[in-house]
Amino acid sequence: MKVLILPDRAAAIARVAEIIVAQVSCAPASVLGLATGGTMLPVYAHLREAHRGGLSLARITSFNLDEYVGLPPDHPASYHCYMRENLFDGTDADAARIHLPRGDAPDPQQEADRYEAKIEAVGGIDLQLLGIGRNGHIGFNEPTSSLGSRTRVKTLTEDTRMANLRFFDDEAQVPQFAITMGIQTILSARHCLLLATGRKKAAAVRGMVEGPVSAFCPASALQMHPRATVVLDPDAAEALTLRNYYDHIHPGGRSRLYSELHRG
Ligand code: PGA
C-alpha cells in the first residue's frame, strides 16, 4: 500500500485529481471506477477544470461503485444525479459508456449480476477511485461484508444512513439498501486510489492501513491489492502509528521511489 500524506486537504484532493488526469491523459480510453460522497466533490471540480483546460473524457468508460435501491436515476439524492451534476454534465463524457447500477430495477440482485458482468465484459477497471466510510466501508460494503464479495444488494448500517441523511429530506427517506460493487470487484481493479480527508476518518484509515485484514474493516482488504494508493490529509492520517515512516518514503506525499533514489 502506498500511503501519501499531503500537507493539507486541498493538496490531497489535488493529488488524487492529478493521478486521475494522468491516467486519462496517458490512456484516453481508460475504464474508471468512480465514487460519490462529500469527499469526491472537490476532486470532480478539479476534473471539470481539467476538462475546461483541454482534457477530454470522451473516450472513457466509467462504472460507479454503488446506487441506492429504490431511487430512480432522476431522484435528486441518487448517485446517477450526483454524477451528472458534479462531473458528467460539465464534460464531454459519452453517456453511452457511463454506468451506474439502476436503483429502480425491478430485481435489484439481477441488476447487480448484470452490472458485474458488464464490468468484466469491458475487460475490468483500470483505476478505481474510492472514499472510505467512518466504519471502514468501501463502496457500500459495510463491516462484515465478505472479502470475496461481488456486486450485490447490501443492507446499510444505521451509521451510514445517518451519515447520508444530509442528502435527503428526512430520515424515513434514506434508503435501507444499496447495490454495491463487492470487495472482490474492487480488488479486481488494476489500480485502487483511495482518498480520505478529515479527523472523522482517522480511525477507519488506521484500520485500513495498519489493522488486520478483516471483514470488520472492509477497506483493510486493500492491503491485499498489489497496487493500492491511499491519499490522506494530516487529519485523516492522525491515528497512523507509522506516520513518520510514510512521510519518510513519500515526503509531503510526493512519489520518491527506491528506484529513483538509487538511479545510476
Ligand atoms: P464521504 O463518504 O465522502 O461523504 O465521507 C465516503 C464513503 O462513505 O465512502
Side-chain angles (χ1 to χ4, degrees):
M1 208 178 249
K2 187 172 180 179
V3 180
L4 305 179
I5 305 170
L6 278 293
D8 56 37
R9 178 172 174 272
I13 290 159
R15 187 78 170 91
V16 164
E18 180 185 277
I19 294 170
I20 301 168
V21 168
Q23 170 75 38
V24 176
S25 303
C26 293
S30 289
V31 181
L32 302 181
L34 298 175
T36 52
T39 311
M40 296 306 154
L41 291 172
V43 173
Y44 294 147
H46 273 269
L47 295 185
R48 292 197 312 270
E49 182 69 38
H51 173 66
R52 287 192 289 275
L55 179 79
S56 174
L57 297 182
R59 293 179 60 204
I60 66 156
T61 296
S62 72
F63 288 91
N64 265 77
L65 284 165
D66 43 25
E67 179 58 286
Y68 293 110
V69 169
L71 300 196
D74 58 355
H75 189 289
S78 71
Y79 289 157
H80 279 81
C81 202
Y82 171 109
M83 291 307 297
R84 277 196 306 273
E85 278 178 9
N86 297 302
L87 180 62
F88 295 131
D89 282 355
T91 72
D92 58 349
D94 178 356
R97 283 200 300 275
I98 290 168
H99 305 281
L100 291 96
R102 285 285 300 228
D104 59 346
D107 181 338
Q109 187 51 53
Q110 202 175 65
E111 169 67 2
D113 294 343
R114 185 197 64 83
Y115 198 70
E116 181 78 29
K118 204 151 196 179
I119 295 171
E120 273 172 42
V122 303
I125 290 170
D126 294 309
L127 176 64
Q128 176 65 59
L129 182 61
L130 297 163
I132 185 170
R134 289 180 305 199
N135 62 6
H137 74 203
I138 45 175
F140 273 134
N141 294 284
E142 301 284 36
T144 73
S145 285
S146 162
L147 299 185
S149 53
R150 295 279 171 181
T151 308
R152 71 213 181 290
V153 177
K154 274 301 291 180
T155 305
L156 304 178
T157 62
E158 280 310 291
D159 187 49
T160 296
R161 291 185 68 241
M162 290 312 104
N164 290 326
L165 176 58
R166 65 191 192 279
F167 300 111
F168 294 85
D169 291 338
D170 61 65
E171 198 180 321
Q173 309 276 316
V174 186
Q176 309 262 8
F177 305 100
I179 297 173
T180 180
M181 282 188 201
I183 294 176
Q184 205 53 234
T185 318
I186 292 169
L187 293 181
S188 299
R190 286 178 273 285
H191 182 188
C192 287
L193 174 63
L194 186 142
L195 171 65
T197 55
R199 204 154 278 160
K200 283 186 187 158
K201 301 294 175 69
V205 165
R206 181 173 182 184
M208 164 176 66
V209 177
E210 297 178 338
V213 174
S214 161
F216 194 69
C217 178
S220 67
L222 293 171
Q223 292 176 28
M224 304 292 289
H225 196 284
R227 196 167 171 226
T229 303
V230 172
V231 179
L232 306 172
D233 71 352
D235 284 343
E238 178 183 79
L240 292 172
T241 305
L242 295 182
R243 162 130 197 217
N244 290 344
Y245 178 58
Y246 312 131
D247 275 333
H248 173 64
I249 308 170
H250 303 293
R254 290 185 301 280
S255 281
R256 182 168 171 257
L257 301 175
Y258 178 85
S259 55
E260 285 170 14
L261 288 174
H262 294 83
R263 242 194 316 242

